Amino acid sequence: MEFRAGQRATWTKTITEADVYAFAGITGDFNPLHVDAEFARHSRFGERIAHGILTAGLISAVLGMRLPGPGGIFLNLALKFLKPVKFGDTITAEAEVVSYRSDKRILTLKTACRNQRGEMVVEGESVLLVDPLPKE
Amino acid sequence: MEFRAGQRATWTKTITEADVYAFAGITGDFNPLHVDAEFARHSRFGERIAHGILTAGLISAVLGMRLPGPGGIFLNLALKFLKPVKFGDTITAEAEVVSYRSDKRILTLKTACRNQRGEMVVEGESVLLVDPLPKE
Amino acid sequence: MEFRAGQRATWTKTITEADVYAFAGITGDFNPLHVDAEFARHSRFGERIAHGILTAGLISAVLGMRLPGPGGIFLNLALKFLKPVKFGDTITAEAEVVSYRSDKRILTLKTACRNQRGEMVVEGESVLLVDPLPKE
Amino acid sequence: MEFRAGQRATWTKTITEADVYAFAGITGDFNPLHVDAEFARHSRFGERIAHGILTAGLISAVLGMRLPGPGGIFLNLALKFLKPVKFGDTITAEAEVVSYRSDKRILTLKTACRNQRGEMVVEGESVLLVDPLPKE
């Protein structure tokens, strides 16, 4: 495989209450900001919001499915959370190649998530090992 | 709320096939390393492994449930993925306070995940805003 | 077991966003018509719709639960998709016996799904093998 | 968009107990062949098997995600169920273009599902409407 700086891919999904509840259920993160409508109503967000790591999951999807695609595995991940994701927001995860070391098959990408208004909600960088097939 | 350097909390769960499949299902990350047993058998891991971001979800849980607990929200997250998590591995997410700026209510923690053999599988740092109640 | 032409059964469920998202999650069908509210808004349907095969799942239910009931297995399935199923639509799957070959235990049924306004959204035919117990 | 006869795409997933149980949960098809291990043990299959329509869901995925991809919607579906899918089987859904009527944007494909031994478990034909954007 070869990658060039600037190569891009995206992955879009509308984040729903069902997603947030399923994510709480598999991780155990029942932070009331995510699953307690009364608590959340009195928070600065005024309503329940999605887990930041759930939004990060869309970054996992764009990397695992599209760029670099099947077989890529995470080495490093760095994220800044800029804005809340509300139930019903449509989030697009974007990945853009920064650099590729073909000798070590290490791919560095800029990653970001934007909502349906184009606002960046998460930004960061991911480093992946590409094509982890057995060494001969 | 007050926090002191060195304060610790943990969160433990055995990661199952059902967890991995649910995570694939809510994010769309069907990377064959996670959901295709035949592909995974020929990978360097020899079997399907959990998504790295799913393991990171346990960090979300220890932070959201225990330290700092309800109301904390992510500002920054940095993770290194050191070893694969296999189906059936029992993962303990650990959080330890590094520092707390009480004027801005910003909490910095070291975070790590270990498996049932005590091997560190993920390590990193998280920065949270604590207690996001409405401003007076 | 005996079956006569004209024998009928139904199965009803309101199809929710959670159902559609779970179906996407177990199959991997993240077609944006189903999970991307922005994309769907600009489609001819104007909003997200359920997967056709999810609606077909209600046919599986009426056959597997009621007519012929436990033990029936699909041999053939043919479906026409006539109208979209929207989130919140209440769908009734109907099955009606066309014929039964008791020597081979092969049951042929007309199957259809209607929404809460009585509009047919799916129609077709199913052929099942009944009572797949071990041969003596 | 243009399509040519013979164009192909695939989609692979290992079908697990969690998938079958989730599918039962969203459709209501609790046929004991799928969710009752005791009943299934005495059936001709000797163990619980996946719902046929769940396997058909992988056909929905290959069509909705890869060929023709986002925006395709089912008009017709015909399937023959040839062999049972057991928990843990790795199923590859295949789609191959038979013909395309570009004036009506109607795409006809041969579809099949094979297990990890290459055995065909489902075969059939699908007819889709491609790119259902609003008419001008």
Side-chain angles (χ1 to χ4, degrees):
Chain A
M1 272 186 264
E2 218 30 67
F3 302 95
R4 59 175 196 285
Q7 197 175 344
R8 295 179 77 256
T10 63
W11 180 257
T12 300
K13 192 188 183 198
T14 302
I15 301 292
T16 69
E17 181 183 71
D19 291 318
V20 174
Y21 273 60
F23 185 81
I26 59 178
T27 61
D29 186 353
F30 286 72
N31 187 326
L33 280 172
H34 309 306
V35 297
D36 180 342
E38 294 305 313
F39 180 97
R41 196 189 320 285
H42 299 99
S43 75
R44 68 175 59 194
F45 305 118
E47 61 188 286
R48 290 169 298 168
I49 60 170
H51 302 76
I53 306 279
L54 169 54
T55 305
L58 298 189
I59 294 174
S60 185
V62 71
L63 300 175
M65 299 302 287
R66 300 207 166 150
L67 180 63
I73 54 166
F74 271 118
L75 295 178
N76 287 277
L77 172 70
L79 298 172
K80 275 189 202 174
F81 298 90
L82 306 172
K83 281 177 177 288
V85 171
K86 302 197 167 180
F87 295 11
D89 279 357
T90 298
I91 302 300
T92 297
E94 310 167 344
E96 182 180 325
V97 172
V98 173
S99 63
Y100 182 55
R101 287 201 48 177
S102 60
D103 57 332
K104 302 209 163 179
R105 295 192 294 195
I106 291 179
L107 182 66
T108 301
L109 306 107
K110 275 197 307 187
T111 47
C113 295
R114 291 178 194 276
N115 64 22
Q116 66 276 12
R117 291 179 297 278
E119 301 165 338
M120 198 176 284
V121 296
V122 175
E123 68 171 346
E125 191 178 87
S126 297
V127 182
L128 283 91
L129 177 62
V130 177
D131 190 14
L133 291 175
K135 292 170 184 160
E136 281 77 29
Chain B
M1 272 187 264
E2 220 26 71
F3 302 96
R4 61 178 194 284
Q7 198 176 343
R8 296 180 74 256
T10 64
W11 181 259
T12 299
K13 192 187 182 199
T14 302
I15 301 293
T16 68
E17 181 181 73
D19 291 318
V20 173
Y21 271 57
F23 185 81
I26 57 180
T27 60
D29 186 353
F30 284 70
N31 187 323
L33 281 171
H34 309 305
V35 298
D36 179 342
E38 296 302 314
F39 180 97
R41 197 190 318 287
H42 299 99
S43 76
R44 66 176 60 194
F45 305 118
E47 63 188 281
R48 289 170 298 171
I49 60 171
H51 301 76
I53 306 278
L54 170 54
T55 305
L58 298 190
I59 293 174
S60 184
V62 71
L63 299 176
M65 299 301 286
R66 299 206 167 149
L67 180 62
I73 54 166
F74 271 118
L75 296 178
N76 288 277
L77 173 70
L79 298 172
K80 276 189 200 174
F81 298 90
L82 306 171
K83 282 176 176 289
V85 171
K86 303 196 167 179
F87 295 10
D89 278 358
T90 298
I91 302 300
T92 297
E94 309 166 346
E96 181 180 324
V97 173
V98 172
S99 63
Y100 181 55
R101 286 199 50 178
S102 58
D103 57 331
K104 302 210 165 179
R105 296 190 297 194
I106 290 179
L107 182 67
T108 302
L109 306 105
K110 276 197 307 186
T111 47
C113 294
R114 293 177 191 277
N115 64 21
Q116 66 278 11
R117 290 180 298 279
E119 300 165 338
M120 198 176 283
V121 296
V122 175
E123 67 169 348
E125 191 178 84
S126 296
V127 182
L128 283 91
L129 178 62
V130 177
D131 191 13
L133 292 175
K135 291 172 186 158
E136 283 75 30
Chain C
M1 272 187 266
E2 218 29 67
F3 302 95
R4 60 177 194 283
Q7 196 176 345
R8 296 180 74 257
T10 63
W11 180 259
T12 299
K13 193 187 182 199
T14 302
I15 301 292
T16 69
E17 182 181 71
D19 290 319
V20 173
Y21 272 57
F23 185 81
I26 58 179
T27 61
D29 186 352
F30 284 70
N31 187 324
L33 281 171
H34 308 307
V35 298
D36 179 343
E38 296 302 315
F39 179 98
R41 196 189 320 286
H42 299 99
S43 75
R44 68 175 61 192
F45 305 118
E47 61 187 287
R48 291 169 297 170
I49 60 171
H51 302 76
I53 307 278
L54 169 54
T55 305
L58 298 190
I59 293 174
S60 185
V62 69
L63 299 176
M65 299 301 286
R66 299 206 166 148
L67 181 64
I73 54 166
F74 271 118
L75 295 178
N76 288 277
L77 173 70
L79 298 172
K80 276 188 200 174
F81 298 90
L82 305 172
K83 282 176 175 290
V85 171
K86 303 196 166 180
F87 295 10
D89 279 358
T90 298
I91 302 300
T92 297
E94 309 167 344
E96 182 180 325
V97 172
V98 172
S99 62
Y100 182 54
R101 286 199 49 177
S102 59
D103 56 332
K104 302 209 164 178
R105 296 191 295 193
I106 290 179
L107 181 67
T108 302
L109 307 104
K110 276 198 305 187
T111 48
C113 294
R114 292 177 192 276
N115 65 20
Q116 66 277 11
R117 290 180 297 280
E119 300 165 338
M120 197 176 283
V121 295
V122 175
E123 68 169 347
E125 191 177 85
S126 297
V127 182
L128 284 91
L129 177 62
V130 177
D131 191 13
L133 291 173
K135 292 172 185 159
E136 284 75 31
Chain D
M1 269 186 266
E2 219 26 71
F3 302 95
R4 59 178 196 283
Q7 197 175 345
R8 294 179 76 256
T10 63
W11 180 257
T12 300
K13 192 188 184 199
T14 302
I15 301 292
T16 69
E17 182 183 71
D19 291 318
V20 173
Y21 273 59
F23 185 81
I26 59 178
T27 60
D29 186 353
F30 286 72
N31 187 325
L33 281 171
H34 309 306
V35 296
D36 179 342
E38 295 305 312
F39 180 98
R41 196 188 322 284
H42 299 100
S43 76
R44 67 176 59 194
F45 305 117
E47 61 189 284
R48 289 169 298 169
I49 61 171
H51 302 76
I53 306 279
L54 169 54
T55 305
L58 297 190
I59 294 175
S60 184
V62 71
L63 300 175
M65 298 303 286
R66 301 207 164 150
L67 182 63
I73 53 165
F74 271 118
L75 296 178
N76 287 279
L77 172 71
L79 298 173
K80 276 188 200 175
F81 297 91
L82 305 171
K83 281 177 176 288
V85 171
K86 303 196 167 181
F87 295 10
D89 278 357
T90 298
I91 303 300
T92 297
E94 310 167 344
E96 182 180 324
V97 172
V98 172
S99 63
Y100 181 55
R101 286 201 50 177
S102 59
D103 56 333
K104 304 210 164 178
R105 296 190 296 193
I106 290 178
L107 181 66
T108 302
L109 307 106
K110 275 196 307 186
T111 47
C113 295
R114 292 178 192 275
N115 64 22
Q116 67 277 10
R117 290 179 298 279
E119 300 165 339
M120 197 176 284
V121 296
V122 174
E123 68 170 347
E125 192 178 84
S126 296
V127 182
L128 283 90
L129 177 62
V130 177
D131 190 14
L133 291 175
K135 292 169 185 161
E136 282 76 28

